[in-house]
Amino acid sequence: MAGAAPTAEDRGAQRTDAVRALLAMEESYVKELRLLEKLYIVPLSMVADSPRGAIFDRADVETIFSNICELLEHHQLYLDELGRALRSDGAESGVAALANFTRQCSPCYTAYFDNYRAACDKLDVIAAAAEGSPSKWCCLGTKPNPAAVQKVRYMDTYRNHPDVREGHPEGTSLRAFLQMPIDHAARVRAQAEMIIRFTNEDDPELADLRHVEAAFAAIIRSLPHEDQVRSQNEVDGPTKKLL
């Protein structure tokens, strides 16, 4: 015997739970982006123009990290707005905050996704240079590039930083950090779809929810297929794991 159809009250509660799940997602994501900023972007940017102290030059920093700091700023504002909405005792649902965030941040995500392949390619170049190209004919091989080796060592050190291990007991790589905005965009889209399922057709917020889902779907489609399905824990090889 089929179970009873969910009541309007049940659907409302499910929708509220789905919106509240967005808050938990944002809190976790903002924490990760702040960690990326603290361990990589800020210290590497500070010395990027130093003739002797630079680990990555300015071009490397801009290619690898793209506009992550701008994404972080948008997400922090959204997190604050969403938190206020969900503390309003039902006066606000949180959907307006999500819709406003999507309108403001979609161009930033598009820019990040457009640059993502270049960032990964840069890490590949560093990994290859750090390994060198051994050959049975010594004159044909290339030695590991000292600057690239230094970059790999920096990444290896910070993948196991105590702050990283709080959320990732086995550590995590820079490549995995760079994948996080892609994973998060997919989660936001999925959560918007879930909220839509619990929203009545005559709800005035339905149009905003559909806009959010469509916007993030379009952003995700802008990636090459292999990047859309890339696992955050993918193992690319012994040296790439350090990156």
Side-chain angles (χ1 to χ4, degrees), residues 37-242:
E37 181 185 54
K38 171 186 174 181
L39 298 183
Y40 292 98
I41 300 175
V42 170
L44 292 175
S45 295
M46 287 177 64
V47 298
D49 299 318
S50 172
R52 295 185 178 181
I55 299 173
F56 288 83
D57 62 27
R58 182 64 57 188
D60 285 343
V61 170
E62 291 177 354
T63 298
I64 293 171
F65 300 108
S66 185
N67 62 339
I68 283 179
C69 290
E70 187 178 6
L71 282 175
L72 173 56
E73 183 178 349
H74 279 290
H75 275 278
Q76 184 63 66
L77 291 172
Y78 166 49
L79 176 59
D80 294 342
E81 186 179 356
L82 183 60
R84 285 193 296 270
L86 295 179
R87 291 191 299 270
S88 67
D89 295 326
E92 298 179 61
S93 68
V95 171
L98 174 60
N100 289 338
F101 161 75
T102 301
R103 282 188 284 269
Q104 294 169 10
C105 201
S106 289
C108 298
Y109 265 98
T110 298
Y112 184 84
F113 277 43
D114 286 347
N115 182 76
Y116 176 72
R117 178 44 45 196
C120 291
D121 289 346
K122 175 63 70 173
L123 294 184
D124 290 342
V125 169
I126 293 169
E131 289 181 342
S133 301
S135 171
K136 65 179 181 179
W137 307 105
C138 60
C139 59
L140 298 179
T142 58
K143 295 181 179 180
N145 180 281
V149 170
Q150 183 184 25
K151 293 172 185 179
V152 169
R153 286 175 178 166
Y154 185 94
M155 303 304 163
D156 192 30
T157 297
Y158 282 95
R159 73 173 284 135
N160 293 300
H161 189 278
D163 289 350
V164 173
R165 285 185 174 273
E166 282 187 15
H168 307 274
E170 297 183 0
T172 198
S173 66
L174 175 57
R175 190 179 292 266
F177 271 115
L178 298 182
Q179 175 76 19
M180 287 177 185
I182 294 171
D183 295 340
H184 191 73
R187 285 193 291 268
V188 171
R189 179 196 177 187
Q191 203 65 17
E193 289 178 331
M194 181 177 294
I195 298 169
I196 288 170
R197 288 202 298 271
F198 300 135
T199 301
N200 295 327
E201 285 293 328
D202 60 352
D203 192 306
E205 292 183 325
L206 185 59
D208 277 343
L209 287 167
R210 285 175 171 160
H211 167 73
V212 171
E213 191 280 330
F216 277 97
I219 292 168
I220 293 165
R221 284 196 301 270
S222 70
L223 281 173
H225 178 70
E226 62 270 21
D227 291 328
Q228 293 182 37
V229 300
R230 180 188 293 267
S231 167
Q232 185 171 322
N233 297 318
E234 178 183 7
V235 177
D236 289 326
T239 303
K240 289 183 186 178
K241 287 172 66 178
L242 300 180

